[in-house]
Amino acid sequence: MQSVLLERVAGGLSGDHTEFEEYALIQWLDTQGCWAGLDSVSASLALFAKHFLTRRGLYQSQQYWRTNGCRLEFGLMRITVVYCVTPSSHTAAVAIPLADQAIADFYGDLSVLEKATQASVYRLLAGFWRRYEAFVAADSAYAVLGVEPDARWEVIQRAYRQLAAKHHPDKGGDPEQFLLVKAAYDQLKAVKRTT
């Protein structure tokens, strides 16, 4: 299946980057007969298996992309192929952030798929949606605190303390704005704990 994935993604390369919706890729792989044998399992287990095997193939293809001057970026629902700017940057060993390595390890472990049950898939989905909702809410929280999404935790704390002091009702500030600042900080604290 990895060669079929490479063919599909490589066939769509154009410009500086190309984005693929994961579900569209799964559907295309279905037309290529990649999902034979999944007809005998429940719909949720079959969808999990398709997602798992697609991501596994993409993670396993990382070396191919690096040697061809590209890299893959994995989003929640989409995969982006990005061309490297400098010719030497794609051949150098790339340090993978720990969170990304943990995800790559998850998809690299076929026993995860082999042990999957209806209940375990539902638990994974519930966890995914909790993290997704926190991720979406975090965008506005960063804006409220006036920090970038990639800001270090110390920067977020400093921005929170400054805004909380400025808007605290006991110091003549706006109570509604203070509550917004506090809610944004609490949201980011929860997001940082889950990532």
Side-chain angles (χ1 to χ4, degrees):
M1 184 174 84
Q2 187 171 330
S3 63
V4 175
L5 279 170
L6 291 175
E7 173 189 309
R8 171 65 171 120
V9 179
L13 288 174
S14 64
D16 291 335
H17 71 280
T18 303
E19 289 187 343
F20 293 89
E21 295 292 330
E22 180 179 347
Y23 188 68
L25 189 54
I26 288 172
Q27 288 178 314
W28 183 85
L29 289 167
D30 191 31
T31 67
Q32 304 302 301
C34 292
W35 310 128
L38 291 178
D39 298 337
S40 61
V41 298
S42 70
S44 58
L45 281 176
L47 184 57
F48 174 72
K50 292 173 184 180
H51 159 78
F52 185 91
L53 292 169
T54 299
R55 288 286 172 134
R56 177 181 168 82
L58 290 166
Y59 275 105
Q60 289 178 337
S61 70
Q62 290 285 48
Q63 185 59 41
Y64 166 85
W65 293 108
R66 278 193 290 273
T67 58
N68 285 287
C70 302
R71 73 176 187 278
L72 294 180
E73 291 180 353
F74 297 92
L76 290 174
M77 310 278 245
R78 109 179 1 137
I79 299 101
T80 305
V81 179
V82 181
Y83 287 102
C84 295
V85 178
T86 59
S88 62
S89 66
H90 66 274
T91 56
V94 177
I96 299 174
L98 257 128
D100 293 343
Q101 186 59 53
I103 293 169
D105 291 346
F106 172 81
Y107 289 110
D109 184 0
L110 270 178
S111 72
V112 170
L113 181 58
E114 293 164 357
K115 294 176 185 174
T117 65
Q118 193 83 17
S120 68
V121 169
Y122 283 137
R123 282 191 303 275
L124 280 170
L125 282 173
F128 166 80
W129 286 116
R130 276 193 305 276
R131 287 188 304 280
Y132 180 76
E133 288 169 359
F135 177 78
V136 169
D139 283 344
S140 63
Y142 288 116
V144 167
L145 295 179
V147 297
E148 295 295 320
D150 60 352
R152 291 185 335 273
W153 182 243
E154 299 79 33
V155 172
I156 293 169
Q157 286 179 311
R158 189 176 328 113
Y160 164 70
R161 289 182 187 123
Q162 289 172 346
L163 290 170
K166 177 181 176 182
H167 296 294
H168 198 284
D170 292 347
K171 297 182 180 184
D174 180 357
E176 287 183 26
Q177 189 63 34
F178 175 76
L179 290 175
L180 280 175
V181 167
K182 174 78 171 107
Y185 178 74
D186 290 342
Q187 180 66 43
L188 293 178
K189 190 165 40 171
V191 168
K192 294 293 183 182
R193 261 189 256 135
T194 62
T195 57

